[in-house]
Amino acid sequence: METLSQRERDVLQSLIQIHIAMAVPVSSQAICRRHLFEVSPATVRNTMMDLEKKGFLHQPHTSAGREPTDKGYRYYVDSLMKREALTSEEKQLLRDKFHSHLKDRDTEYVFNEISRTIAQLSHQLGIVLFPRFEEGILQKLELVPLDRKRVLVIITVTSGLIKTITVEINRPSKFSNGKNKSFISRKKLKEACQLLNERLSGLSIKEIRQSIQRRLGYSPQRAPELFDFFIEEANTIFRFNSPRELFLEGRTNIMLQPEFEDHHRLAQLMEFLDKRESVISLLNRQARKQGVVVSIGSENALSQMQTCSLVTSTYNIGDLWGTVGMIGPTRMRYSKYISLLEYTAKLMNELLTEYYLA
Amino acid sequence: METLSQRERDVLQSLIQIHIAMAVPVSSQAICRRHLFEVSPATVRNTMMDLEKKGFLHQPHTSAGREPTDKGYRYYVDSLMKREALTSEEKQLLRDKFHSHLKDRDTEYVFNEISRTIAQLSHQLGIVLFPRFEEGILQKLELVPLDRKRVLVIITVTSGLIKTITVEINRPSKFSNGKNKSFISRKKLKEACQLLNERLSGLSIKEIRQSIQRRLGYSPQRAPELFDFFIEEANTIFRFNSPRELFLEGRTNIMLQPEFEDHHRLAQLMEFLDKRESVISLLNRQARKQGVVVSIGSENALSQMQTCSLVTSTYNIGDLWGTVGMIGPTRMRYSKYISLLEYTAKLMNELLTEYYLA
DNA sequence: TTTAGCAATCTTCAAACAAGAGTGCTAATC
DNA sequence: GATTAGCACTCTTGTTTGAAGATTGCTAAA
């Protein structure tokens, strides 16, 4: 970590604060007016030149003020910024939203509303990624016959979260040799279910998907056709990384930011968001660390994100974890949004865990 | 319906075709060059003046060509336009997408992919609204205990579609007087389930929601607490109009259209799309009619949709129906997109019905 | 009824210009 | 040695101007 003099730190901090608020290059005069009365603009200018040489600032053109670079923001976030706590109104709003939606029957809907709330409070794009269900440990698997050929698979993992999947057991080729219409008898289903639980519970969903063939290989006498089916379809049944696990809300917020008045830049970002898979993989890369993680501009590697920052936090439901976050231009109120996401994740931990594990 | 002379019809049609392709006001000369060789631009100009007086065209400014008004487009769609059939490649693409996704386990995901495909083929915003589940007739209701306090409710309607809902039966106040921890016995659940089916099946979900109190009013001796629970929570359990039933894909497409280079206009539209509830209510209003419905610009009433057209079609799964459609600027290839939606709806009817009802 | 011709109108683009903002440098000052 | 006042210089932004081009509406002729 490069060291900066106190003056440099003061100037950098002041400049960033002003820039975040004003969204224009900041002049030496503006800094003096706002924060550093005691020194003259000329002095500030000298410091700004130093900071530019060190790569913390840059000048859009000769006669303009200066803006922070990604490196500048990074230093600010790591060493200068003071966290801004949420106001009690904001906290209350979050709690209220949580409570009113938590009782809703649709887990996915709850997550969608959380991302909406983040968007509302930050005026940026709110993101929630559903808990990584594939890493959950299978607690119980249930099979409920729906009709002649469809079965509802209910998967419960140890965090208490469940997913239901409808599967169609109607492969004309291998199983039922055509005659046996109502292929699935309740009895067979029950037997198969019991055996599946015996062999698979305690494993993670991902492990199951990868190793099911081996684990069910020496299938028993009874209901071998159901076992075959599960082996064959494991890649479908035990896969949970669909683009529908991602909730993005508040696209309008982001396009109202001055940096996205540039139509082309906006289009690039929107295209990126439209392809949800790439957003998910970005989040997966980001969320290796615990706590709140900030990726500023070029730190994101992805070209479409070069002018954006991504702030995320990890939440937990039992042993499952998911990601909650926001995207905005690099010029954003890190001091506030970090608190926002920290608090949101905390609330999710508390309330969702209570709800699902109690 | 106003009658137009043949020449007026020719000019209007030609002008609209050129305008759809070029996205600029169309001059008399352009029309002659492209379609009406045999008459002079001056003649076309006279006709254009007539059409303007009748409200089919308008001039952005004195020395510009002319653009169709909403009324002009309406006449075109109703009386001039020839449907453009889909190419066999396009049809194949649609079929392929359908087949590859239909086998997916998540019904919602399938619908999302359909809207993605519509977006891809039309270069506009693709829309799919999930079947109106609330109008489905209850075929079977099943209760599966998940753990001490949670029960999975499986609702099957006559079309074969199912929805699952997790409910928490843990009202400390009224039922279990605190001692009885594991409140839900399998036996009670089974009894309650049987009775619920007896009293509610054959009714639509919406009817159930509205009249459940009356129908379960004189509850029997056994398991009255479960009945109470269902009465109290009916508004949650039997409600299916969440914003998550709406699938919008391809926002980027729409913002690349020249009419949305205007940042403000784009922001308005995006804000509208962000509020999904309003999109759903727009679709509900639109979808009263059968077949493909086109709403052009101001026909949409909503201020945010004044510069857009909405093309929708109704699809059916058994007795359930849903809406599929697209949004774009009023300047769009109606002739093509109407076919696209018609064909998509037809495919959905065939394949989804086969899948769910077979 | 159609058309040729033409003046009139409006947009668009580029060039030119003025005003303003902000810097970097130099020399004076604390 | 650090700080600052003063000032020339640079670049942006907004406005004005003018020329070129597109298209029309009108009139008079075919």
Side-chain angles (χ1 to χ4, degrees):
Chain A
M1 169 74 66
E2 228 158 330
T3 60
L4 297 181
S5 72
Q6 189 53 43
R7 161 132 332 132
E8 285 171 330
R9 290 165 60 92
D10 290 346
V11 168
L12 183 57
Q13 173 160 18
S14 170
L15 186 143
I16 288 184
Q17 281 172 8
I18 297 172
H19 186 248
I20 288 175
M22 300 304 195
V24 287
V26 180
S27 70
S28 51
Q29 208 187 99
I31 291 178
C32 293
R33 240 195 330 257
R34 192 73 81 85
H35 296 106
L36 300 172
F37 309 99
E38 61 284 2
V39 293
S40 78
T43 311
V44 173
R45 274 206 290 283
N46 289 330
T47 311
M48 285 162 85
M49 280 174 76
D50 295 343
L51 284 168
E52 183 168 13
K53 280 197 200 101
K54 295 184 184 172
F56 293 91
L57 300 179
H58 102 281
Q59 225 177 350
H61 56 85
T62 353
S63 74
R66 282 173 170 97
E67 295 174 329
T69 59
D70 294 345
K71 184 178 173 188
Y73 276 123
R74 170 52 61 200
Y75 190 89
Y76 171 75
V77 169
D78 289 344
S79 314
L80 297 176
M81 175 189 81
K82 278 184 262 320
R83 292 269 186 101
E84 270 180 276
L86 299 187
T87 66
S88 51
E89 289 81 35
E90 288 167 327
K91 287 186 180 175
Q92 197 53 49
L93 177 68
L94 270 166
R95 284 191 175 276
D96 288 351
K97 290 255 179 190
F98 262 83
H99 279 118
S100 70
H101 292 304
L102 203 55
K103 294 294 165 197
D104 275 320
R105 59 234 161 17
D106 181 355
T107 317
E108 273 84 2
Y109 181 65
V110 177
F111 286 93
N112 196 49
E113 285 304 312
I114 294 172
S115 95
R116 240 171 150 149
T117 309
I118 293 172
Q120 188 190 338
L121 286 176
S122 67
H123 304 289
Q124 309 286 348
L125 184 88
I127 305 177
V128 175
L129 187 59
F130 199 80
R132 285 152 179 84
F133 198 80
E134 291 199 343
E135 316 212 338
I137 307 296
L138 179 68
Q139 189 176 52
K140 197 171 55 177
L141 190 149
E142 287 183 81
L143 304 177
V144 179
L146 292 172
D147 54 34
R148 266 198 294 107
K149 58 174 190 177
R150 289 187 308 155
V151 171
L152 186 73
V153 182
I154 308 171
I155 299 180
T156 312
V157 293
T158 49
S159 67
L161 270 188
I162 67 157
K163 286 262 183 187
T164 61
I165 306 142
T166 314
V167 299
E168 192 186 5
I169 306 190
N170 188 26
R171 296 300 157 108
S173 51
K174 298 188 66 174
F175 326 122
S176 69
N177 42 22
K179 301 169 217 164
N180 191 359
K181 271 273 184 176
S182 180
F183 155 73
I184 320 150
S185 78
R186 280 199 178 254
K187 186 152 166 276
K188 270 189 185 171
L189 218 50
K190 205 169 168 187
E191 284 174 0
C193 185
Q194 200 179 340
L195 276 164
L196 283 169
N197 272 299
E198 276 170 26
R199 303 237 178 143
L200 301 179
S201 61
L203 300 170
S204 81
I205 304 298
K206 198 192 240 168
E207 282 169 341
I208 291 175
R209 172 155 51 82
Q210 290 164 349
S211 67
I212 191 165
Q213 177 137 29
R214 183 157 47 78
R215 293 183 194 277
L216 299 186
Y218 307 102
S219 59
Q221 305 306 86
R222 316 130 177 258
E225 48 305 39
L226 260 173
F227 269 49
D228 280 354
F229 175 79
F230 267 89
I231 291 173
E232 234 175 84
E233 295 295 313
N235 270 322
T236 311
I237 300 173
F238 298 106
R239 184 176 292 280
F240 297 93
N241 49 3
S242 110
R244 298 223 336 124
E245 313 259 298
L246 176 71
F247 305 99
L248 299 177
E249 291 289 327
R251 289 174 176 79
T252 318
N253 290 340
I254 218 171
M255 71 169 289
L256 293 178
Q257 301 292 333
E259 16 278 282
F260 287 102
E261 271 170 24
D262 175 8
H263 200 76
H264 183 66
R265 184 184 287 183
L266 180 61
Q268 268 198 332
L269 180 62
M270 286 292 169
E271 198 185 344
F272 169 64
L273 298 177
D274 267 358
K275 278 195 306 243
R276 300 179 187 214
E277 292 84 352
S278 48
V279 180
I280 292 178
S281 84
L282 177 70
L283 290 177
N284 282 334
R285 239 171 303 150
Q286 168 112 345
R288 301 247 173 271
K289 285 170 257 171
Q290 282 297 105
V292 178
V293 180
V294 180
S295 292
I296 299 165
S298 51
E299 296 174 3
N300 282 304
L302 268 123
S303 72
Q304 299 97 326
M305 288 286 291
Q306 294 293 302
T307 57
C308 292
S309 285
L310 171 65
V311 185
T312 60
S313 181
T314 301
Y315 66 86
N316 299 286
I317 305 177
D319 50 359
L320 276 193
W321 58 286
T323 305
V324 59
M326 41 144 298
I327 290 179
T330 49
R331 179 191 62 80
M332 63 158 74
R333 276 175 77 180
Y334 297 98
S335 54
K336 184 93 184 193
Y337 301 153
I338 290 175
S339 301
L340 171 62
L341 288 177
E342 194 172 57
Y343 189 78
T344 306
K346 202 184 98 196
L347 269 185
M348 291 175 85
N349 290 348
E350 283 174 21
L351 299 177
L352 296 176
T353 301
E354 181 188 340
Y355 183 73
Y356 288 105
L357 286 179
Chain B
M1 170 72 67
E2 228 158 329
T3 60
L4 297 181
S5 72
Q6 189 54 44
R7 164 141 319 142
E8 286 171 328
R9 291 167 57 90
D10 290 347
V11 168
L12 183 57
Q13 173 159 18
S14 169
L15 185 142
I16 288 182
Q17 281 172 8
I18 296 171
H19 185 249
I20 287 174
M22 300 304 194
V24 286
V26 180
S27 70
S28 51
Q29 208 186 98
I31 291 176
C32 294
R33 236 194 336 253
R34 191 73 80 86
H35 297 106
L36 300 173
F37 310 98
E38 62 283 3
V39 293
S40 78
T43 312
V44 173
R45 274 206 289 283
N46 289 329
T47 312
M48 284 163 87
M49 281 175 77
D50 296 342
L51 284 169
E52 183 167 13
K53 280 197 200 98
K54 294 183 183 174
F56 293 91
L57 300 179
H58 102 281
Q59 226 176 350
H61 55 84
T62 355
S63 73
R66 280 168 172 101
E67 295 175 329
T69 59
D70 294 345
K71 184 179 173 186
Y73 276 124
R74 169 53 60 199
Y75 190 91
Y76 171 76
V77 169
D78 289 344
S79 315
L80 297 176
M81 176 189 81
K82 280 187 258 323
R83 291 268 186 101
E84 270 180 274
L86 299 186
T87 67
S88 51
E89 289 81 33
E90 289 167 325
K91 287 185 181 176
Q92 197 53 49
L93 178 66
L94 269 167
R95 286 190 174 277
D96 288 350
K97 290 256 179 189
F98 263 83
H99 279 117
S100 70
H101 292 303
L102 203 55
K103 294 294 165 198
D104 275 320
R105 60 232 163 18
D106 180 356
T107 317
E108 273 83 2
Y109 181 65
V110 177
F111 286 92
N112 195 50
E113 285 303 313
I114 294 172
S115 93
R116 235 168 153 150
T117 309
I118 293 172
Q120 188 190 339
L121 285 176
S122 68
H123 303 291
Q124 309 286 350
L125 184 88
I127 303 179
V128 175
L129 187 59
F130 199 81
R132 284 150 181 85
F133 198 80
E134 292 200 344
E135 316 211 338
I137 308 296
L138 179 69
Q139 191 177 52
K140 196 170 57 173
L141 190 148
E142 286 184 83
L143 304 177
V144 180
L146 292 172
D147 53 35
R148 266 198 291 108
K149 58 174 191 180
R150 291 187 307 155
V151 171
L152 186 74
V153 182
I154 308 172
I155 299 179
T156 312
V157 293
T158 49
S159 67
L161 269 190
I162 67 155
K163 285 263 183 188
T164 61
I165 306 143
T166 314
V167 298
E168 191 186 4
I169 307 189
N170 190 25
R171 297 298 153 114
S173 52
K174 299 188 64 174
F175 327 121
S176 70
N177 42 22
K179 298 169 221 161
N180 192 359
K181 272 273 185 175
S182 180
F183 155 73
I184 321 148
S185 78
R186 281 203 176 252
K187 187 153 167 271
K188 271 189 182 170
L189 220 50
K190 205 169 171 187
E191 284 173 2
C193 184
Q194 200 177 343
L195 278 164
L196 284 169
N197 272 299
E198 276 171 24
R199 304 238 179 140
L200 302 179
S201 64
L203 301 170
S204 79
I205 303 298
K206 199 194 240 166
E207 282 169 340
I208 291 175
R209 174 155 50 82
Q210 288 163 350
S211 68
I212 190 167
Q213 179 137 30
R214 183 156 48 76
R215 293 182 194 276
L216 298 187
Y218 307 102
S219 59
Q221 304 307 85
R222 315 127 175 263
E225 45 311 32
L226 261 172
F227 270 48
D228 280 354
F229 175 79
F230 268 89
I231 292 174
E232 234 177 83
E233 296 294 314
N235 270 322
T236 311
I237 299 173
F238 297 105
R239 184 176 292 281
F240 298 93
N241 49 4
S242 111
R244 298 225 334 128
E245 313 259 296
L246 176 71
F247 305 98
L248 299 176
E249 292 288 326
R251 289 175 178 80
T252 317
N253 290 340
I254 218 172
M255 70 169 289
L256 293 177
Q257 300 293 333
E259 17 279 283
F260 287 103
E261 270 170 24
D262 174 9
H263 200 75
H264 183 68
R265 185 184 285 182
L266 179 61
Q268 269 198 330
L269 180 64
M270 286 294 169
E271 198 185 345
F272 169 65
L273 298 178
D274 266 359
K275 278 194 305 243
R276 300 181 188 211
E277 292 85 353
S278 47
V279 180
I280 293 177
S281 84
L282 177 71
L283 290 176
N284 283 333
R285 241 171 301 152
Q286 168 112 342
R288 302 245 174 272
K289 286 170 257 171
Q290 282 296 105
V292 178
V293 180
V294 180
S295 291
I296 300 164
S298 50
E299 297 173 2
N300 281 304
L302 268 121
S303 71
Q304 299 97 326
M305 288 286 292
Q306 295 292 302
T307 56
C308 293
S309 285
L310 170 66
V311 186
T312 59
S313 182
T314 300
Y315 66 86
N316 299 287
I317 304 177
D319 50 1
L320 275 195
W321 57 286
T323 305
V324 59
M326 44 146 292
I327 290 179
T330 49
R331 177 191 63 80
M332 63 158 73
R333 276 176 78 179
Y334 296 98
S335 54
K336 185 93 184 195
Y337 300 154
I338 290 174
S339 301
L340 172 62
L341 288 177
E342 193 171 59
Y343 188 78
T344 306
K346 200 183 101 198
L347 268 186
M348 290 175 84
N349 291 347
E350 281 175 21
L351 299 177
L352 296 177
T353 301
E354 182 190 338
Y355 183 73
Y356 288 105
L357 287 178

